[in-house]
Amino acid sequence: MPELPEVETIRRTLAAHIKDSRIKDISLIWPSAVCGWKDKGFKELVLGRRITRLDRRGKYLLIRLDEEMTLIAHMRMTGRLNYYPDHREPEKHTHVVFTLEHGEVHFSDVRKFGRIQAIPTSLCIQESSLSKLGPEPLEPEFTPIVLKDHLAKKRVALKAALLDQCVLAGLGNIYVDESLFRAGISPQRQANTLSEEEIKQLHKSIQDVLQAGIDARGTSFRDYRDANGEKGQFEQALQVYGRGGKPCRICGKTLERLRLAGRTTVYCPKCQK
């Protein structure tokens, strides 16, 4: 958390406030939350630059600055980027404050796993964590054939393969469980054994679930909020995630829990063959 729908929601809500704004000051309350580039510090690379647009790659938020500089923000488990129209005193877990021409952006993270890296735009794909990411599941280039090719060499449980960001960018525990349920495929199934029809159904389910998550502005259980501090609403539509031990909403059978790839997995033993 956050996964693709949450980061996309953060991107959209943050862009509405900060696009075309200049960064006037940066307060590094916990300096380890940011990374510079080679021998140049974060402030030196970022201060005074204008925000030209916001992009997303998988679970990463890309804040594009003028003069060919990019901020790569990864929220990890509990990171947040919140916008405030006026000055706001930093909260306990706020690590970085960006003062803009109009308002402030606070980066906070309870568990301190999240990071913001400044890197030249021309290098941000090949010389950062972005270089290892698999295809974007909502782009036209992501087809059933592409999904099949990325699963072909995976002799692991399908749940584990789909959590691998090198296979597919942006999916995490929530949306993998939900996608597999919609596709009617067991999370324990070996990834490279799916039929052509199963691949097509899984491809459609992944795209449908992610788009539904974006439309609902993400899923909020504990930490996730958009840039305005608002919760997402997709929790109300969840079929299996977080519902272990409860009846399946389709067939009524008790949903089962197991551990796959170190993550709690919930599925329906009747609906997911």
Side-chain angles (χ1 to χ4, degrees):
M1 268 295 277
E3 302 178 30
L4 188 155
E6 289 74 43
V7 178
E8 177 62 20
T9 302
I10 293 169
R11 184 194 72 79
R12 295 180 183 187
T13 53
L14 198 56
H17 298 297
I18 72 172
K19 184 178 178 295
D20 295 324
S21 189
R22 197 169 296 278
I23 301 171
K24 295 173 60 180
D25 194 15
I26 303 170
S27 176
L28 300 179
I29 300 167
W30 185 56
S32 295
V34 301
C35 307
W37 174 249
K38 293 190 174 179
D39 60 340
K40 293 187 177 180
F42 186 83
K43 276 192 175 184
E44 179 184 357
L45 293 169
V46 176
L47 198 59
R49 295 184 188 266
R50 184 175 59 85
I51 299 165
T52 60
R53 72 177 194 274
L54 280 76
D55 298 325
R56 181 194 52 76
R57 180 73 171 97
K59 300 179 185 180
Y60 294 83
L61 179 68
L62 309 179
I63 303 174
R64 307 294 191 181
L65 309 179
D66 61 6
E67 302 181 47
E68 291 299 303
M69 188 62 60
T70 292
L71 300 182
I72 303 176
H74 195 189
M75 267 61 80
R76 299 289 181 181
M77 295 295 292
T78 59
R80 292 185 188 177
L81 281 166
N82 289 114
Y83 172 81
Y84 302 107
D86 302 304
H87 174 67
R88 177 73 63 93
E89 284 299 315
E91 297 178 354
K92 179 180 179 180
H93 299 291
T94 298
H95 305 316
V96 185
V97 174
F98 297 89
T99 301
L100 310 179
E101 290 175 313
H102 304 288
E104 296 180 344
V105 173
H106 291 207
F107 176 61
S108 61
D109 187 1
V110 174
R111 300 184 69 179
K112 292 188 172 182
F113 291 157
R115 294 292 184 274
I116 302 177
Q117 177 185 10
I119 186 170
T121 299
S122 61
L123 301 176
C124 71
I125 298 298
Q126 65 266 35
E127 296 195 27
S128 72
S129 300
L130 304 182
S131 64
K132 300 177 182 180
L133 295 180
E136 282 287 323
L138 292 178
E139 292 298 316
E141 294 80 10
F142 177 63
T143 65
I145 292 175
V146 171
L147 178 60
K148 180 181 178 180
D149 289 345
H150 278 75
L151 293 177
K153 296 181 180 180
K154 292 293 180 179
R155 297 179 178 274
V156 296
L158 185 54
K159 170 70 180 279
L162 293 176
L163 286 175
D164 185 346
Q165 299 301 293
C166 298
V167 172
L168 199 56
L171 287 175
N173 214 25
I174 295 174
Y175 297 98
V176 171
D177 277 6
E178 293 297 307
S179 296
L180 289 172
F181 177 78
R182 288 201 188 196
I185 303 173
S186 169
Q188 302 174 82
R189 180 79 171 273
Q190 187 167 303
N192 63 351
T193 66
L194 271 61
S195 67
E196 296 284 346
E197 187 57 38
E198 287 172 325
I199 287 286
K200 290 179 181 178
Q201 185 57 46
L202 179 59
H203 174 271
K204 182 178 187 301
S205 297
I206 289 171
Q207 293 194 321
D208 288 349
V209 165
L210 290 176
Q211 189 58 58
I214 292 171
D215 293 343
R217 302 169 63 84
T219 306
S220 293
F221 281 107
R222 292 173 294 275
D223 301 292
Y224 164 70
R225 300 290 186 275
D226 68 16
N228 297 321
E230 301 291 332
K231 292 183 176 182
Q233 301 300 317
F234 194 62
E235 180 182 359
Q236 301 170 17
L238 295 175
Q239 297 292 319
V240 289
Y241 180 84
R243 300 191 65 246
K246 297 180 180 179
C248 174
R249 288 174 171 153
I250 302 299
C251 71
K253 192 170 182 64
T254 300
L255 298 176
E256 295 187 4
R257 294 188 192 91
L258 57 86
R259 296 283 290 182
L260 283 173
R263 307 299 299 276
T264 298
T265 299
V266 181
Y267 72 104
C268 176
K270 182 176 181 181
C271 295
Q272 295 172 257
K273 302 299 183 183

